[in-house]
Amino acid sequence: MTDIRSELNRRILIIDGAMGTMIQRHKLTEADYRGKRFADWPSDLKGNNDLLCLTQPEIIEGIHREYLEAGADIIETNTFNSQRVSLADYQMESLAYEINFEAARIARRAVDDYNAKDPSKPRYVAGSLGPMNKTLSLSPDVNNPGYRGLSWDEAVSAYYEQVKGLVEGGSDLLLVETIFDTLNAKAAIYAIKKYFQDTKKKELPIMISGTITDASGRTLSGQTLEAFYISVMHARPLSIGLNCALGAADMRSHIEELSQKAACYTSAYPNAGLPNTMGEYDEQPEETAHFIEEWAKEGFVNIVGGCCGTTPDHIRHIAEHVKKFPPRQLPVVETAITA
């Protein structure tokens, strides 16, 4: 496998688009989510998209292949909520490792197949670690601001188990994404570092992607973009970037700022605009690609793709629009004080 850094120095890489958007197209029923194995499960399972790695693996692999065919270089595993904290909503905490392992294997199969067909254009599996449905920085009880629904140790333990499954399943990278609480991200980073320290395995590159939730340019837990960057740079990530919450038009200024500050590679995968009153995304592939093309032209990005509402058509247009531009050059960082 070609080292991803050499590819990032050569061209802008494409990360895939939304998994949930593509799953919705299949119009799956409760029975489809359950499959035979979970036919008698005591709670509703429809909406637990990560479970489809066990009950409908052919659908998930098919979606991966659609994105690869569209030009994606990095495929995310279908594991956004696959840690025991979030899986508790479905009483499926015990399945965390298995889901991550199988999700990575599914993506690995698809990527290996495409790499065999065209070795000159290597593709990579990014193990996706989402933000959890509980936060370490904010209280879920407005009447008790000091209360937390999750402890640091619980978050680290859940992420550690997820990392184990993703690595053993065959991931090339680990992607800590859609970060709205930097303390949760730090727990994920700590779990990643601890796993590789414990196992003595070669550490996989870490991608980090936050989310700016409104026009103020802050994360949900209140950090500015610069503060967020400074808070996670100790992890020495392969890349840092933004995804979700905003469409490309609203994300531009934040990506420009990040490109000026980051000592590592930068990534950006926005939504297909903002959702309409029905919660659907109307931005067409050529519109999204037009915005991202301008980022590439200005030298803001190294990795681009799509988040909520984006499809293989969006990724195909993005890949076509940015391929003529060189990647953002890493800044020269001074390592010593000069007189």
Side-chain angles (χ1 to χ4, degrees):
M1 174 64 68
T2 305
D3 186 281
I4 192 170
R5 290 173 181 82
S6 63
E7 288 298 303
L8 284 165
N9 291 331
R10 189 168 68 88
R11 60 192 175 94
I12 296 174
L13 296 190
I14 308 299
I15 195 168
D16 59 7
M19 175 62 72
T21 299
M22 296 301 291
I23 289 173
Q24 288 172 11
R25 291 184 170 187
H26 288 268
K27 302 187 184 304
L28 301 176
T29 65
E30 175 71 23
D32 293 324
Y33 276 85
R34 288 175 176 271
K36 292 181 179 180
R37 179 176 171 183
F38 302 104
D40 299 322
W41 199 259
S43 63
D44 291 342
L45 298 180
K46 187 177 180 180
N48 185 2
N49 287 345
D50 297 4
L51 179 64
L52 298 174
C53 295
L54 304 184
T55 58
Q56 303 290 342
E58 67 286 347
I59 289 177
I60 302 304
E61 185 169 344
I63 293 170
H64 288 325
R65 288 177 179 275
E66 286 188 67
Y67 280 121
L68 288 164
E69 195 64 35
D73 301 295
I74 302 172
I75 295 296
E76 298 179 55
T77 57
N78 181 38
T79 53
F80 189 78
N81 292 302
S82 295
Q83 26 64 30
R84 59 177 53 244
V85 175
S86 297
L87 287 172
D89 287 350
Y90 302 96
Q91 302 174 41
M92 288 190 153
E93 299 96 312
S94 63
L95 296 172
Y97 172 84
E98 183 182 359
I99 291 174
N100 284 281
F101 181 80
E102 292 301 329
R105 285 185 63 193
I106 291 167
R108 181 83 266 152
R109 277 199 303 271
V111 163
D112 285 349
D113 188 22
Y114 274 78
N115 282 340
K117 291 176 182 176
D118 183 8
S120 67
K121 184 179 183 292
R123 288 87 165 175
Y124 305 88
V125 175
S128 169
L129 294 91
M132 292 192 177
N133 59 358
K134 293 183 179 181
T135 168
L136 289 169
S137 295
L138 303 171
S139 171
D141 183 355
V142 295
N143 297 312
N144 185 3
Y147 173 72
R148 296 292 182 271
L150 182 69
S151 72
W152 169 265
D153 288 345
E154 288 170 335
V156 169
S157 176
Y159 277 129
Y160 188 100
E161 183 179 30
Q162 183 173 22
V163 169
K164 186 175 188 291
L166 291 171
V167 173
E168 294 181 359
S171 297
D172 300 304
L173 319 162
L174 292 171
L175 170 59
V176 184
E177 64 174 335
T178 322
I179 299 161
F180 60 85
D181 180 354
T182 308
L183 197 54
N184 282 41
K186 282 179 170 288
I189 291 166
Y190 181 83
I192 292 169
K193 300 289 186 180
K194 188 176 189 304
Y195 171 79
F196 287 109
Q197 186 177 49
D198 289 348
T199 61
K200 304 296 190 294
K201 292 181 178 180
K202 182 181 178 182
E203 189 170 325
L204 297 183
I206 302 173
M207 298 174 64
I208 296 176
S209 184
T211 184
I212 299 298
T213 54
D214 57 37
S216 72
R218 293 175 180 266
T219 64
L220 185 65
S221 54
Q223 280 192 314
T224 63
L225 182 56
E226 183 175 16
F228 166 68
Y229 167 72
I230 292 170
S231 295
V232 297
M233 276 311 295
H234 65 89
R236 298 186 179 276
L238 173 74
S239 67
I240 190 161
L242 296 173
N243 74 291
C244 206
L246 303 175
D250 295 314
M251 192 185 281
R252 185 201 184 281
S253 62
H254 307 307
I255 293 300
E256 180 179 9
E257 178 187 354
L258 192 61
S259 74
Q260 295 168 353
K261 291 182 167 63
C264 60
Y265 300 104
T266 57
S267 68
Y269 48 112
N271 291 348
L274 296 176
N276 59 29
T277 54
M278 301 299 291
E280 297 176 345
Y281 294 85
D282 300 320
E283 190 170 279
Q284 296 302 302
E286 58 271 18
E287 296 176 274
T288 306
H290 173 74
F291 288 120
I292 294 180
E293 178 183 13
E294 195 256 341
W295 301 352
K297 183 179 179 181
E298 294 295 331
F300 295 161
V301 289
N302 300 102
I303 302 168
V304 293
C307 201
C308 302
T310 59
T311 65
D313 283 340
H314 288 82
I315 298 306
R316 185 174 292 105
H317 277 76
I318 291 169
E320 187 64 30
H321 278 250
V322 305
K323 70 179 183 181
K324 58 188 173 185
F325 298 106
R328 167 183 169 270
Q329 295 299 303
L330 291 184
V332 177
V333 179
E334 295 288 345
T335 58
I337 299 175
T338 55

